[in-house]
Amino acid sequence: MPEESQTKGERTRQTILDTAYKLFLEQGYSATSMRQIAESAGLALGGIYNHFASKDEIFQELVITKHPYVQIFPLLHAVPGDTAEEFLTNAARIIETEMGQRADFMKLMFIELVEFNGRHFAKVVGAILPLAMSILQRFSDPNSGVRPIPPLLIVRTFLGNIIAFYVTGLLMSDPSVPAELRDVRLSDFIDIYLHGILKDQKTASHVS
């Protein structure tokens, strides 16, 4: 919503969310108090409770609005590709570009995993599932190249592949790690996701 069209209450609420988000990323959830959020937002402590009943309520709203999946899935609707391979290869480029601009995405995910054991993720699933299922409808065409796999399993494995890329990227970012481990792109992960690591048995038998 454009700032000029927001009411004073809406602007205050957004200030609280923006301030809390910054503090959560800098300090973590547990180390951030409601008093700190209020002071950083320029509000009296009581004023923050006019908009949010608790710190957890603030975090839940941030999870929905800021979570990587919630941000990325709407972008995938316009990704070109007549087959699953074309679509997912092109989608990887979009995702890598978006994630490269928003390093905070992974920090928020880690807070959710480490400090909450993923308990808010059901809300994220509820937000992205309709978007994900509408994207997967394009794979229902027999010419898409997709095996008969349950759509939700495709969603989980594709998202899991993206998470694996960024988590291992963080773990292997030190210059002392061999370049072959560091200099990897998401498209490399997607290629292996689509084609596996095993040779095509028919081709291998023909060659031998």
Side-chain angles (χ1 to χ4, degrees):
M1 181 183 298
E3 187 173 344
E4 60 271 14
S5 64
Q6 292 181 321
T7 65
K8 180 180 178 181
E10 289 169 339
R11 289 195 297 272
T12 300
R13 182 181 179 87
Q14 189 58 53
T15 297
I16 294 169
L17 288 169
D18 293 342
T19 301
Y21 187 57
K22 181 175 182 292
L23 290 172
F24 290 157
L25 294 184
E26 290 176 350
Q27 305 177 168
Y29 176 86
S30 298
T32 300
S33 68
M34 288 288 270
R35 183 175 297 280
Q36 283 180 311
I37 297 172
E39 290 176 352
S40 296
L43 299 170
L45 180 59
I48 206 169
Y49 288 103
N50 292 329
H51 299 275
F52 296 96
S54 65
K55 186 172 66 167
D56 186 70
E57 187 175 307
I58 294 174
F59 188 81
Q60 286 186 52
E61 183 157 338
L62 288 172
V63 164
I64 295 298
T65 58
K66 299 285 192 179
H67 198 286
Y69 295 169
V70 177
Q71 298 286 323
I72 287 171
F73 264 85
L75 301 177
L76 301 185
H77 279 279
V79 172
D82 295 328
T83 66
E85 181 173 0
E86 291 173 351
F87 170 78
L88 292 176
T89 300
N90 291 330
R93 297 190 186 101
I94 298 293
I95 292 168
E96 192 163 22
T97 298
E98 183 68 16
M99 293 288 282
Q101 297 171 351
R102 296 291 303 276
D104 55 307
F105 276 169
M106 290 306 297
K107 290 184 180 180
L108 184 69
M109 186 179 294
F110 285 137
I111 290 173
E112 170 63 16
L113 288 172
V114 173
E115 300 199 47
F116 291 97
N117 294 318
R119 78 163 185 254
H120 298 115
F121 195 70
K123 294 181 181 294
V124 176
V125 171
I128 68 170
L129 202 53
L131 298 171
M133 296 306 292
S134 64
I135 291 172
L136 286 175
Q137 286 177 2
R138 64 199 299 172
F139 300 161
S140 61
D141 188 317
N143 297 320
S144 69
V146 176
R147 292 192 290 127
I149 299 172
L152 293 181
L153 180 56
I154 295 176
V155 172
R156 177 170 176 177
T157 54
F158 181 62
L159 296 180
N161 202 53
I162 295 170
I163 292 173
F165 170 74
Y166 284 102
V167 169
T168 55
L170 289 171
L171 294 174
M172 299 181 184
S173 60
D174 191 286
S176 64
V177 173
E180 291 83 355
L181 293 175
R182 287 186 286 108
D183 299 337
V184 177
R185 300 191 65 86
L186 180 58
S187 57
D188 298 319
F189 270 55
I190 297 300
D191 181 69
I192 293 175
Y193 172 72
L194 291 171
H195 303 293
I197 62 171
L198 301 178
K199 295 180 179 178
D200 183 278
Q201 294 303 305
K202 293 180 181 179
T203 302
S205 299
H206 179 72
V207 172
S208 62

